[in-house]
Amino acid sequence: PSLHFNKGDLLFSLSQLDDAQAELLAVTRLRPDDVLGAAVLLAAISWPTNPERARQYFQSALSSPGELLTPFTRAYYRAIALAGLDRTDEAAAELTAAADTRTDRELELDDSDDKLFERFRDPPLPGLDTLRRLVESAPSQIPPDNQKANPSTH
């Protein structure tokens, strides 16, 4: 499932959304009890044309533990899902609480993150600008035990 997620995430960042969707759906079939990242990316693919379907993916995302994700990435995906369900205060609180758990690889937005925010522009995801500001504001210092490279950040 992780290989499918990583491939889906890469394809998503390259705007190859049909191919990304196929890989992400494979994650949901192979690991149905832990689909947080895949569900949020599937919601992003659906959002511009079918916000109701995207909200179903957000519900799935929130019921998922995100066990394979770093604490900040888990909070990031949960915050997007919460915002997509109009729970913007909870979304901001989730990101704020996880800010100091960022690894060095999570301090800057990558192509997939940029694409994710772009997909939620029209129609606008509630609280999108606030979430982006929170993600882009780096904590003053990364805790030493979070500076290790972690290949599975999403």
Side-chain angles (χ1 to χ4, degrees):
S2 292
L3 176 62
H4 288 285
F5 179 80
N6 292 341
K7 185 176 180 184
D9 187 43
L10 175 63
L11 291 165
F12 179 86
S13 71
L14 296 171
S15 298
Q16 296 177 17
L17 302 180
D18 290 338
D19 293 333
Q21 185 174 26
E23 294 298 327
L24 297 166
L25 287 170
V27 173
T28 66
R29 282 191 306 276
L30 296 170
R31 194 177 59 215
D33 57 334
D34 195 1
V35 297
L36 178 58
V40 169
L41 292 179
L42 287 165
I45 292 168
S46 298
W47 183 261
T49 58
N50 193 341
E52 196 50 49
R53 179 179 212 147
R55 286 182 186 90
Q56 292 170 356
Y57 284 124
F58 289 142
Q59 288 287 359
S60 294
L62 291 177
S63 68
S64 175
E67 290 175 350
L68 300 177
L69 303 173
T70 65
F72 182 77
T73 298
R74 183 172 34 253
Y76 171 64
Y77 283 137
R78 284 185 50 77
I80 291 169
L82 287 164
L85 297 171
D86 293 318
R87 294 164 58 184
T88 55
D89 289 342
E90 290 174 72
E94 185 100 21
L95 271 181
T96 302
D100 289 336
T101 67
R102 285 182 178 181
T103 65
D104 56 348
R105 299 173 102 198
E106 295 170 318
L107 288 176
E108 295 183 17
L109 296 178
D110 62 19
D111 292 342
S112 184
D113 297 321
D114 286 334
K115 185 67 177 175
L116 191 59
F117 282 112
E118 179 186 313
R119 295 290 300 172
F120 291 123
R121 286 256 167 245
D122 188 23
L125 185 82
L128 182 68
D129 292 333
T130 299
L131 292 181
R132 185 165 190 131
R133 259 192 321 278
L134 287 169
V135 170
E136 290 176 336
S137 62
S140 58
Q141 184 177 355
I142 305 170
D145 52 331
N146 283 332
Q147 291 183 357
K148 303 181 278 250
N150 184 343
S152 180
T153 59
H154 291 259

